[in-house]
Amino acid sequence: MTNKLRKTLAGLTMFAAIVATGSLSANAQEKSKLDEILARGHLIVGTGSTNAPWHFKDESGNLVGFDIDMAHLVAKGLFNDPNKIEFVEQSSDARIPNVTTDKVDITCQFMTVTAERAQQVAVTIPYYREGVGLLLKEGGKFKSYDELKAAGSSAVVSVLQNVYAEEMVHAALPEAKVDQYESVDLMYQALNSGQADASATDQSSVKWLIVQQPGKYLDAGYGWSPQSYSCAVKRGDQQWLNFVNTVFHEAMTGVEFGTYSASFKKWFGVDLPVPQIGFPVEYK
């Protein structure tokens, strides 16, 4: 065998190896969590079970809540059946680890989006915008945020004990007196007993309590400290992330808006405006 022939064969062998490696890489990229879930026949969702109106158990022991409804929307998109789903109950500190270790396909558990978390998991488009709100008692001294603010230091606000609690309240009511409590129950008890004029809590909790106990509470009508709630999937799988984003986008703006808006009304007591027909609102 001549040197020229030997070099030619060596070159062909190297070329074949490169082609084979490229094919393997392409096949690996084509394998998505989306394909895995479709082949399995059901979706596995990580969530909680103790935080109404997001995820909690009803009288029959079934998981319900807004997070749960969002998960059912994903299952419906996958299988045209919202019940083809397995829930894995997890603590808040397991939300990211259970995704990264493939214990769950997706986590939907009122997870606030931060840049730090986005380094660990891929976050979906937001499905809710949370914030701090002020819960008032029906028939109480104050009827609105403006009245609370005008009251200055004579207004008392109860809040869950936190290193940032006083700073958080003063961002909205600079002069208010802030009373911190060790539990949410004690915080609301202070409002109910008249020890506090308002409770600073999640805006979603304000809405939920008004839905649950009509005639007992009022929303002061002011929210601040916004944060986005999104689900989380494993990094590096654009097909799966794109699919979930499509489901959420069309739930909030398109074919599944009826389902999404009914859930929003059920848990937060709010009637959402119907998405405008014609030019996509996202590009205005």
Side-chain angles (χ1 to χ4, degrees):
M1 183 183 292
T2 64
N3 287 336
K4 184 176 181 181
L5 181 58
R6 188 176 292 111
K7 289 179 180 179
T8 300
L9 289 173
L12 289 172
T13 301
M14 182 177 294
F15 177 75
I18 291 171
V19 170
T21 301
S23 297
L24 288 172
S25 176
N27 288 335
Q29 290 176 357
E30 289 172 4
K31 182 64 176 177
S32 168
K33 174 70 74 174
L34 177 58
D35 301 311
E36 178 187 328
I37 296 166
L38 290 171
R40 184 199 303 139
H42 69 275
L43 176 69
I44 302 175
V45 178
T47 193
S49 61
T50 58
N51 293 281
W54 296 98
H55 40 261
F56 64 106
K57 292 187 176 180
D58 63 14
E59 295 178 354
S60 301
N62 300 312
L63 277 172
V64 295
F66 198 64
D67 283 335
I68 307 305
D69 288 348
M70 296 306 294
H72 281 300
L73 276 168
V74 179
K76 182 180 180 182
L78 287 163
F79 306 108
N80 198 30
D81 184 346
N83 296 314
K84 285 194 172 182
I85 191 166
E86 173 190 344
F87 288 108
V88 174
E89 293 181 38
Q90 58 189 20
S91 60
S92 293
D93 58 7
R95 290 178 295 188
I96 288 177
N98 282 354
V99 167
T100 58
T101 58
D102 289 312
K103 184 174 181 180
V104 300
D105 301 320
I106 184 171
T107 279
C108 296
Q109 192 174 354
F110 68 175
M111 192 176 82
T112 301
V113 178
T114 66
E116 181 182 3
R117 285 173 173 167
Q119 295 175 44
Q120 302 172 69
V121 290
V123 294
T124 67
I125 60 173
Y127 58 87
Y128 187 83
R129 182 67 33 79
E130 184 63 280
V132 183
L134 292 163
L135 184 69
L136 302 175
K137 190 176 178 184
E138 183 79 55
K141 190 190 305 184
F142 303 107
K143 303 290 188 298
S144 68
Y145 166 73
D146 289 338
E147 290 183 11
L148 280 169
K149 191 171 183 179
S153 59
S154 66
V156 180
V157 179
S158 63
V159 66
L160 186 64
Q161 193 173 59
N162 185 293
V163 65
Y164 303 111
E166 191 159 340
E167 178 184 345
M168 179 188 74
V169 173
H170 284 161
L173 298 168
E175 300 176 36
K177 181 178 184 296
V178 180
D179 286 345
Q180 300 188 42
Y181 292 86
E182 294 181 355
S183 72
V184 172
D185 288 343
L186 289 174
M187 177 183 76
Y188 292 143
Q189 185 177 321
L191 175 64
N192 293 334
S193 66
Q195 292 177 276
D197 299 307
S199 289
T201 187
D202 290 342
Q203 187 69 55
S204 59
S205 296
V206 172
K207 301 294 189 188
W208 168 244
L209 286 169
I210 291 172
V211 169
Q212 285 295 103
Q213 302 179 62
K216 184 173 182 178
Y217 296 114
L218 295 173
D219 184 346
Y222 182 77
W224 72 102
S225 190
Q227 51 188 288
S228 299
Y229 282 173
S230 293
C231 293
V233 299
K234 195 172 183 179
R235 283 180 54 188
D237 191 340
Q238 194 63 45
Q239 291 183 48
W240 177 223
L241 178 61
N242 287 349
F243 176 82
V244 178
N245 281 342
T246 298
V247 171
F248 288 173
H249 182 272
E250 294 312 304
M252 292 182 282
T253 67
V255 293
E256 289 292 344
F257 177 75
T259 303
Y260 178 86
S261 60
S263 175
F264 209 96
K265 173 70 172 179
K266 178 178 181 178
W267 303 117
F268 308 121
V270 176
D271 290 306
L272 295 176
V274 176
Q276 184 177 335
I277 306 302
F279 190 80
V281 66
E282 299 88 341
Y283 302 106
K284 285 189 175 179

